[in-house]
Amino acid sequence: MKAAILNDYEQPLSIEEIRIDPPRTGEVKVRIGATGVCHSDYHVIKGEWKYGVPMILGHEAAGIVEEIGPNVVGVQPGDHAVLSFRPYCGVCRLCTIGRSVMCEGHTGNRFVMHDGTARVHRNGEDLMILGRMGSFAEYVVIPAEQVIPVRKDVSMDVLALIGCAVTTGVGAVVNAAKVEPGSSVAVIGCGGVGLNVIQGAALVSAGQIIAVDLLDNKLEYARQFGATDTVNAAEGDPVEQVRELTGGGVDYAFEVIGNGKTVEQAVQMTRAGGTACIVGMAPQNSKATIDPLIFVTKETRLIGTWYGSARPRFDFPRLIELTLAGKLKVKELISRRYTLDQINEGFERLGRGEVARGVITFPV
Ligand SMILES: [Zn+2]
Ligand SMILES: [Zn+2]
């Protein structure tokens, strides 16, 4: 099968013919229908997160189940599925309380299968896969616990985006921060995930929704997804601008870039009693400087959320239903479609901030 391989950091991905094994116990083989071009993959390409190479990236994906290994229940060949990039052992403390994003049961090397071996190989050499998925490929073999069957009448590109950007952004609002109707919200960073934080805020009837970005084209996208106000952070201090628009600060500020400076800004633009929420994933070893006194005198809350604090078996289907009901815009997020061969163009456009979301689609 064909896959896009990261052979070294800061290099284009290389499209190569590789071998994939059949699924073993507890594993599922999925034919990928669509996979998103997400900033998390870009962090790895740029070497901001170093996990080792060669690796197949790709963690936002949907496809059709091709084959199941022994002892797989609840998934059948032919099922349409959204793939989760986090494990779900189902029995650890965090899975039990519905916080499986941080599953403590399956904590081994997350670039190979749970038994420690690889299913994809190039000339006898094992290849690692991001998030035990590696969806920049025609097929994946993935632990069954990461395969969420869904209804069959939804297009693969929409399902793929449910697998990361939509869940991460909307989940940050509804699962993590639990924004109340009428609240004021600021969203720093209006890429694929940030736009979903914005539409999540609109979904729960937030009042003022202020989009903050450096690029006017992204602020225009933000308006289409529900922002009521926009702040171009290149034109003056964004904290001052948000405070001015809200008369003192927002109830909820979401940082969706993954940058120490913008985390500081998120805290500073939150009003007394408000919540700053870190959604963006910073490069390894970055730092932010925060005045600890405000956590007492302003009772500011600073929280973080990974993958929208999702429970994939609950959240994926409900996000699909909300999309079909017209309450979430997912097709509208897709500004570019690529073939696997065009994947490097996808990352170039992502890097230049040209797209809301780019998606790689495979012939059905
Ligand atoms: Zn992602
Ligand atoms: Zn677990």
Side-chain angles (χ1 to χ4, degrees):
M1 69 158 183
K2 243 181 358 177
I5 299 170
L6 179 70
N7 286 310
D8 206 355
Y9 301 110
E10 298 184 82
Q11 297 297 320
L13 303 180
S14 155
I15 310 295
E16 300 179 31
E17 221 20 80
I18 60 163
R19 190 166 65 79
I20 186 163
D21 299 334
R24 294 190 192 168
T25 298
E27 299 169 1
V28 173
K29 183 179 181 185
V30 178
R31 180 159 62 90
I32 297 298
T35 180
V37 177
C38 176
H39 218 107
S40 293
D41 304 295
Y42 199 45
H43 277 302
V44 183
I45 293 173
K46 289 193 291 183
E48 291 172 350
W49 301 341
K50 289 191 174 170
Y51 304 127
V53 288
M55 183 180 284
I56 304 176
L57 307 177
H59 65 280
E60 177 179 80
I64 298 175
V65 174
E66 177 99 352
E67 185 183 349
I68 60 172
N71 295 342
V72 168
V73 292
V75 182
Q76 296 294 328
D79 280 352
H80 291 209
V82 178
L83 306 185
S84 162
F85 60 81
R86 293 297 301 154
Y88 177 78
C89 79
V91 293
C92 75
R93 189 177 65 98
L94 286 159
C95 282
T96 304
I97 63 170
R99 303 189 70 175
S100 60
V101 168
M102 295 170 290
C103 173
E104 290 175 328
H106 288 160
T107 54
N109 179 344
R110 60 194 171 95
F111 310 102
V112 291
M113 294 294 103
H114 290 311
D115 67 3
T117 63
R119 297 291 165 274
V120 281
H121 319 273
R122 176 177 61 188
N123 305 323
E125 170 196 30
D126 290 343
L127 297 170
M128 292 184 287
I129 51 173
L130 187 65
R132 299 191 184 93
M133 184 190 307
S135 57
F136 293 157
E138 292 173 314
Y139 294 89
V140 299
V141 169
I142 181 170
E145 68 202 47
Q146 294 175 233
V147 178
I148 316 301
V150 296
R151 51 191 290 173
K152 291 186 177 175
D153 57 350
V154 185
S155 66
M156 284 288 158
D157 48 10
V158 166
L159 293 179
L161 265 56
I162 301 282
C164 177
V166 178
T167 295
T168 302
V170 177
V173 174
V174 302
N175 293 336
K178 297 185 167 63
V179 173
E180 302 92 349
S183 306
S184 54
V185 172
V187 181
I188 307 175
C190 301
V193 174
L195 293 174
N196 279 292
V197 175
I198 289 167
Q199 69 169 335
L203 175 72
V204 299
S205 302
Q208 222 173 348
I209 303 173
I210 306 169
V212 183
D213 205 289
L214 293 164
L215 297 175
D216 284 329
N217 68 314
K218 291 200 169 180
L219 293 172
E220 181 48 44
Y221 282 136
R223 285 199 180 271
Q224 293 165 20
F225 285 84
T228 58
D229 299 86
T230 58
V231 165
N232 188 324
E235 298 162 5
D237 180 2
V239 174
E240 283 310 313
Q241 295 182 70
V242 168
R243 282 184 182 155
E244 201 159 296
L245 280 167
T246 51
V250 287
D251 297 311
Y252 294 90
F254 292 88
E255 197 278 348
V256 202
I257 296 172
N259 175 284
K261 183 81 207 153
T262 44
V263 166
E264 292 166 15
Q265 291 172 348
V267 172
Q268 290 160 3
M269 65 176 64
T270 302
R271 70 156 42 114
T275 299
C277 179
I278 304 176
V279 184
M281 300 189 78
Q284 288 164 333
N285 304 315
S286 51
K287 298 275 184 291
T289 305
I290 289 164
D291 173 5
L293 187 58
I294 62 164
F295 295 96
V296 177
T297 57
K298 290 175 68 183
E299 295 197 0
T300 300
R301 293 197 306 151
L302 175 60
I303 63 171
T305 172
W306 193 9
Y307 207 177
S309 306
R311 295 111 336 142
R313 261 160 232 283
F314 172 68
D315 282 301
F316 290 176
R318 78 163 166 163
L319 292 170
I320 291 168
E321 294 305 319
L322 287 165
T323 304
L324 294 174
K327 297 185 185 221
L328 290 174
K329 298 176 184 174
V330 180
K331 270 268 193 253
E332 295 85 342
L333 282 166
I334 303 170
S335 28
R336 285 266 171 187
R337 287 182 173 77
Y338 312 102
T339 63
L340 187 62
D341 295 308
Q342 297 169 320
I343 190 166
N344 291 305
E345 181 193 338
F347 281 106
E348 284 158 21
R349 289 188 188 276
L350 175 81
R352 291 195 295 264
E354 290 176 13
V355 288
R357 199 51 144 195
V359 178
I360 295 160
T361 55
F362 295 80
V364 183

